Amino acid sequence: MFRLQGSKVLAVDMTGDAVKAKNGSMVAYDGQMAFKKLSGGGEGIRGMVTRRLTGEQMTVMEVKGQGTCWFADRASEINLVNLRGDKLYVESSNLLVTDAGLRTGTTFTGLRGASQGNGLFTTTVEGHGQAAIMSDGPAVVLRVSAQYPLTVDPGAYIAHQGNLRQSFQSGVTFRTLLGEGGGEAFQIRFEGDGLVYVQPSERNTIAGDL
């Protein structure tokens, strides 16, 4: 149902089914389509409460019909993720399209969100189906295992899935290790078994002095 046309455009073929997409991300469609604006960010009362706390304005639309829709956003690279009953944790700004049958919600991330100033919560996608996530430049998928934990710069982090534990190491950055300032004052450490998606370009954060 999901297929890439190049690396920056997602084509979704629909036969009466639906997808949820980032508002404003559809660039073209053929056939017969119906569009509906959704609350976005998370489902139910908890989603509403967490969005109020974080100030996130993640607007989502539902697209349903017969035909093909094409999606893109700011020429970002698009990456397809297949979920088989597991859960994907993804920064809300990096989520482009999900199968309508996948459940979306929010989860508390603690220090990382507070320090970045972009919300205390990360979007979750769970169930069976496909999701399309975006990255600034081609994403790299890194494996985490019991023998090989992974430490990630928070500005490069996009998403993760699997049986992973997150912890935050404050007071040190990749830049300060090299004698340079101005970077985030913490790193994200992943332990367990799973995958972490990172991008080769850091998003802007305001955590340098925290």
Side-chain angles (χ1 to χ4, degrees):
M1 189 165 119
F2 287 20
R3 53 189 172 88
L4 292 177
Q5 293 198 215
S7 62
K8 299 180 181 181
V9 178
L10 172 70
V12 180
D13 301 313
M14 287 184 277
T15 56
D17 43 355
V19 296
K20 290 182 287 189
K22 184 176 183 179
N23 199 41
S25 64
M26 189 185 66
V27 295
Y29 72 92
D30 62 22
Q32 299 294 320
M33 297 290 166
F35 308 94
K36 182 172 64 174
K37 185 177 180 180
L38 303 176
S39 59
E43 295 172 351
I45 297 298
R46 182 167 183 264
M48 293 172 62
V49 170
T50 55
R51 284 195 304 281
R52 177 174 293 181
L53 287 173
T54 63
E56 291 180 347
Q57 298 297 319
M58 180 187 173
T59 307
V60 178
M61 61 180 178
E62 182 185 73
V63 184
K64 184 176 183 179
Q66 301 269 353
T68 302
C69 276
W70 288 269
F71 299 91
D73 187 56
R74 296 181 179 86
S76 298
E77 299 281 337
I78 300 172
N79 313 270
L80 299 183
V81 180
N82 292 308
L83 295 175
R84 300 177 178 86
D86 50 330
K87 183 182 291 188
L88 175 72
Y89 299 81
V90 56
E91 295 294 292
S92 61
S93 60
N94 293 98
L95 183 61
L96 181 65
V97 180
T98 66
D99 282 338
L102 290 172
R103 298 182 301 280
T104 56
T106 50
T107 187
F108 181 69
T109 59
L111 175 64
R112 178 171 57 84
S115 296
Q116 278 187 248
N118 65 348
L120 296 170
F121 295 82
T122 288
T123 297
T124 59
V125 183
E126 187 175 11
H128 291 82
Q130 287 184 297
I133 62 176
M134 299 179 293
S135 57
D136 186 3
V140 177
V141 185
L142 302 175
R143 164 67 68 178
V144 181
S145 66
Q147 295 82 10
Y148 296 100
L150 181 71
T151 302
V152 175
D153 188 299
Y157 168 81
I158 302 170
H160 72 273
Q161 65 186 128
N163 184 23
L164 293 176
R165 299 181 304 280
Q166 271 184 293
S167 59
F168 306 98
Q169 300 175 332
S170 61
V172 64
T173 72
F174 290 114
R175 289 188 183 88
T176 54
L177 288 174
L178 298 174
E180 299 177 3
E184 293 78 9
F186 59 96
Q187 301 166 346
I188 312 172
R189 181 178 174 87
F190 292 94
E191 297 176 277
D193 182 37
L195 302 174
V196 177
Y197 299 79
V198 298
Q199 61 185 6
S201 175
E202 292 186 73
R203 70 177 65 84
N204 291 326
T205 67
I206 60 171
D209 297 326
L210 297 177

